[in-house]
Amino acid sequence: MEKKSYPSFSSRLGFIMVTAGAAVGLGNIWSFTYVVGSNGGGGFVLIYLLVLLFLATPIFMAELLLGRMGKASPPEALSKLQKQAGSKIPWAVPAWMGLISTIFILSFYAVIAGKVMGYGFEALFGGFGGWNGEQIADLNTSYNGNELLSAFWAGLFLALSVWIVGTGVRSGLERASKIMMPALFAMLLGLAIFAAIEGDFARGFDFLFGFRNVEFSAAIFLEALGLAFFTLSIGVGGIMVYGSYMGDDVSLPSATVWIVIMDLLVAILAGLAIFPLLFGAGLDAGVGPNLVFAAVPQAFAALPGGSVLAFIFFLLLTVAALTSAISLFTPTVQRLVENGWSRRKAAWSMFVPAFGLSILTTLSFGSWNDFYPLAFLGLDGLTFFDLIYKGTNNIVLPLGGLAFALIIGWGLQRDKVRAALSMKSDALFTIWYGLLKYIIPLAIIFLFVKTIWP
Ligand code: TRP
């Protein structure tokens, strides 16, 4: 086989849009509203904004940079950099941890994305238009109760992702998402406008931005940090792969800023659409992971042509979820391809454990919804889904981010980092570097320690 040179994105805009597609997904719409809702709203949003700006954004840039410097799958990229730096510490360890965690993330991601697809299917057959609140609630209950159906959709979502990763369809989907992402954005904007007129906008807005009841505990900060990392896709090496493909002419800091802004805008817009709808329907913000599925259909029920609009919405959300799921597959697939595997075989080999584990989440929403497997360890009230979700988001992602910060701040030479970054402003570089070297590691370690020993 002819050896091709390392692939890269041809244009700056192309790079930004595809990487934003990997970042924007269910996290911005489903997780953001569910986690903000469960944590009481405004105060949590404030903390989210703080950690997004000071911790997650610098790490996003660090992860892109490590990919650009290492140009290989995350474990290989980090080993290569380790050898160059002459360090004895195995830098690839956090990358391997990240790869393993992608399987766990995919396992619940597929169940939620599958439900989005299932709801789209319902809309295709005339669902949602003209429905009342009871019908919407019943659909949610019956969907969650039907574990076979839920597992079917989760499996289908994973199979679709595998197929896309294993074939050339991927670049086609990424091209399509350049249209579909703005379309999803427009649709969320439309929903927010509808919610402002018909829903309880005042209460929704106040819930999101009324910065009171701020509880500054370490556990809350860690939860906000996990959410920020999750919505930006950082901590597992997924973004590193995108950085490795990044053309050298693309400015890393400006790409970071654009992607973070888009990612944040989608989340805020989703919140502005969903909370007024939720309160307008007399529902509670603390309902948990079903929040989106309770709120969004309220709008389609009331709108003319609601079924068609619902179908378009769930379709666009499915595409957003697919482009994110792809970014969860690629670091591992890349690593296996380095071992001589085909992309297809590599992707299918991830399907098996991801689908197997997804059954645990399916059951957590169904008949095991009051089964708390680690109750004997004091983790009472947490289902398998809760454990997998919180374990990956609030523990693995921050640990991955911590490792990337330490590698940039302490492992690599400052001059090399400075040169690879191509950042014009010295002042900004000094701030970013200082954050990664001192503030971020201390903050993350402090949050872990304080959460364990409050
Ligand atoms: N950020 C994506 C979303 O918001 C999910 C995602 C994709 C992700 N790749 C990731 C989360 C890597 C953590 C790590 O839906």
Side-chain angles (χ1 to χ4, degrees):
M1 213 174 78
E2 182 194 356
K3 203 167 157 48
K4 280 196 237 145
S5 69
Y6 203 79
S8 72
F9 286 103
S10 48
S11 77
R12 173 168 175 261
L13 184 69
F15 173 80
I16 292 180
M17 287 308 280
V18 169
T19 310
V24 173
L26 297 176
N28 307 64
I29 294 163
W30 165 74
S31 309
F32 182 77
T33 50
Y34 137 54
V35 177
V36 167
S38 302
N39 284 290
F44 184 80
V45 173
L46 179 66
I47 297 174
Y48 176 81
L49 293 173
L50 286 175
V51 296
L52 185 72
L53 181 65
F54 291 109
L55 306 179
T57 303
I59 291 182
F60 187 91
M61 200 156 96
E63 198 177 324
L64 276 180
L65 182 69
L66 288 172
R68 169 179 271 184
M69 293 176 81
K71 291 240 192 302
S73 73
E76 284 305 297
L78 294 184
S79 312
K80 209 154 72 176
L81 294 174
Q82 177 207 338
K83 286 197 194 95
Q84 285 167 10
S87 164
K88 295 220 160 45
I89 301 165
W91 293 5
V93 170
W96 281 111
M97 177 188 79
L99 297 200
I100 294 167
S101 75
T102 59
I103 306 261
F104 285 85
I105 296 175
L106 278 167
S107 79
F108 67 77
Y109 207 79
V111 175
I112 307 302
K115 190 167 175 182
V116 169
M117 289 168 80
Y119 269 49
F121 199 67
E122 188 74 36
L124 191 61
F125 291 97
F128 304 112
W131 280 18
N132 58 35
E134 208 172 310
Q135 281 170 297
I136 294 170
D138 284 349
L139 176 66
N140 187 49
T141 314
S142 69
Y143 186 94
N144 287 347
N146 192 342
E147 289 147 346
L148 266 180
L149 183 74
S150 165
F152 163 80
W153 283 111
L156 190 66
F157 176 81
L158 283 174
L160 252 176
S161 315
V162 165
W163 177 67
I164 293 166
V165 170
T167 62
V169 178
R170 174 169 178 180
S171 62
L173 180 87
E174 285 173 343
R175 240 173 294 136
S177 83
K178 276 181 216 165
I179 302 164
M180 297 187 75
M181 262 229 306
L184 178 65
F185 193 79
M187 192 112 191
L188 282 173
L189 191 64
L191 278 176
I193 292 170
F194 173 85
I197 300 165
E198 295 292 326
D200 193 341
F201 187 74
R203 191 160 157 223
F205 190 87
D206 185 57
F207 183 79
L208 264 179
F209 299 116
F211 295 145
R212 55 187 133 56
N213 311 325
V214 191
E215 192 203 322
F216 285 102
S217 79
I220 296 275
F221 263 88
L222 204 54
E223 182 117 13
L225 184 66
L227 180 64
F229 278 28
F230 188 83
T231 58
L232 281 178
S233 305
I234 48 181
V236 301
I239 288 300
M240 215 189 279
V241 175
Y242 287 74
S244 77
Y245 289 141
M246 190 176 186
D248 284 331
D249 51 328
V250 181
S251 150
L252 221 147
S254 84
T256 300
V257 169
W258 280 113
I259 294 164
V260 171
I261 288 177
M262 282 193 249
D263 197 71
L264 177 64
L265 276 181
V266 174
I268 296 290
L269 204 51
L272 283 177
I274 286 166
F275 286 111
L277 287 172
L278 191 83
F279 296 136
L283 299 169
D284 176 55
V287 290
N290 290 315
L291 193 143
V292 169
F293 300 98
V296 169
Q298 306 289 341
F300 301 126
L303 282 164
S307 299
V308 178
L309 290 173
F311 177 73
I312 298 172
F313 177 78
F314 289 119
L315 181 71
L316 293 172
L317 195 50
T318 303
V319 172
L322 278 171
T323 52
S324 296
I326 291 174
S327 78
L328 285 159
F329 274 95
T330 32
T332 310
V333 167
Q334 187 104 331
R335 182 64 195 80
L336 293 171
V337 166
E338 284 164 355
N339 275 10
W341 293 36
S342 70
R343 297 189 77 79
R344 176 173 307 163
K345 183 176 161 202
W348 278 111
S349 75
M350 287 180 75
F351 173 92
V352 178
F355 182 62
L357 282 169
S358 80
I359 305 291
L360 293 177
T361 290
T362 298
L363 290 170
S364 301
F365 293 147
S367 47
W368 287 4
N369 68 2
D370 54 1
F371 174 44
Y372 309 129
L374 297 187
F376 67 95
L377 289 179
L379 296 167
D380 205 4
L382 300 176
T383 61
F384 269 116
F385 161 75
D386 295 323
L387 293 168
I388 296 174
Y389 184 85
K390 287 181 195 294
T392 49
N393 277 262
N394 302 351
I395 300 173
V396 179
L397 301 185
L399 280 179
L402 172 64
F404 300 154
L406 292 175
I407 287 174
I408 298 257
W410 298 90
L412 296 167
Q413 280 175 343
R414 191 178 192 273
D415 296 345
K416 274 198 167 167
V417 172
R418 181 77 181 90
L421 194 58
S422 62
M423 191 187 230
K424 285 185 205 83
S425 154
D426 275 322
L428 273 181
F429 176 78
T430 307
I431 293 173
W432 173 77
Y433 193 77
L435 279 170
L436 284 177
K437 191 166 177 135
Y438 304 107
I439 310 289
I440 292 175
L442 284 174
I444 295 179
I445 292 168
F446 175 78
L447 290 180
F448 273 125
V449 172
K450 279 298 266 187
T451 303
I452 300 170
W453 295 285

